[in-house]
């Protein structure tokens, strides 16, 4: 969320009512919804949250048709702005699925919003993706991130 404007981005809001309540409790207005990939446990709250807020849906351009209702398709390097102060860069991170994005904050303390690419105990599965692509995502992109990167 942008501390100046109160505009907020919800990432993979399956429990959209909980996301909305948390935003409202903090005085934020959700204006955008970002899906890291097309799986239902990441997209299932889109319509409820969009209906409650009018938020625009953003996702990997390659997953847009499978998600449905996507207002903006992302490619590697695209920037998502939230209010005046938050910028997130799209990383094209295939492996868990063929069309997956991780979002990297442009902040002093870097933060990565990684969807199902990375977990605290390992990598996401490749049942609907490709193991070689996931290895490439880790070795070329995630390994290059600063050690101080916070992972969400």
């Amino acid at each position: 969320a942008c501390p100046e404007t109160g505009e907020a981005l919800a990432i993979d809001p399956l429990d959209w009512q909980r996301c909305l309540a948390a935003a409202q409790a903090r005085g934020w207005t959700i204006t955008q919804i970002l899906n890291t990939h097309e799986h239902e446990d990441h997209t299932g709250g889109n319509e409820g949250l969009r209906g409650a807020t009018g938020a625009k849906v953003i996702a990997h351009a390659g997953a847009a048709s499978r998600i449905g209702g996507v207002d903006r398709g992302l490619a590697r390097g695209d920037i998502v702005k939230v209010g005046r102060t938050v910028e997130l860069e799209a990383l094209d991170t295939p492996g868990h699925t063929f069309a997956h994005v991780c979002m990297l904050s442009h902040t002093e303390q870097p933060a990565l919003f990684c969807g199902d690419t990375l977990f605290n105990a390992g990598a996401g599965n490749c049942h609907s993706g490709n193991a070689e692509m996931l290895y490439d995502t880790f070795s070329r992109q995630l390994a290059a991130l600063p050690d101080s990167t916070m992972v969400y």
Side-chain angles (χ1 to χ4, degrees), residues 4-149:
E4 291 180 13
T5 67
E7 292 176 55
L9 168 85
I11 299 175
D12 295 334
L14 177 61
D15 189 344
W16 69 270
Q17 292 166 321
R18 189 172 178 189
C19 290
L20 182 60
Q24 290 172 336
R26 291 168 176 81
W28 299 338
T29 302
I30 296 173
T31 58
Q32 298 176 83
I33 299 165
L34 181 118
N35 295 135
T36 56
H37 62 292
E38 70 267 17
H39 290 157
E40 180 70 20
D41 60 325
H42 293 259
T43 64
N46 285 3
E47 288 311 308
L49 192 55
R50 183 200 305 254
T53 63
K56 301 293 185 192
V57 177
I58 303 166
H60 191 292
S65 65
R66 290 185 296 282
I67 293 171
V70 173
D71 298 294
R72 179 181 174 197
L74 297 174
R76 177 188 316 260
D78 284 349
I79 301 295
V80 173
K81 293 184 179 189
V82 183
R84 289 191 291 264
T85 63
V86 177
E87 287 191 1
L88 301 171
E89 179 182 352
L91 306 180
D92 187 5
T93 54
H96 175 65
T97 62
F98 290 102
H100 192 295
V101 292
C102 290
M103 303 303 292
L104 180 63
S105 69
H106 286 182
T107 52
E108 186 175 321
Q109 168 68 62
L112 180 74
F113 299 90
C114 62
D116 280 355
T117 295
L118 179 62
F119 291 88
N120 64 353
N125 68 57
C126 298
H127 301 306
S128 55
N130 177 282
E132 288 81 17
M133 292 173 106
L134 186 61
Y135 179 82
D136 188 64
T137 288
F138 271 79
S139 64
R140 292 182 190 259
Q141 294 185 73
L142 301 186
L145 296 175
D147 289 343
S148 61
T149 304

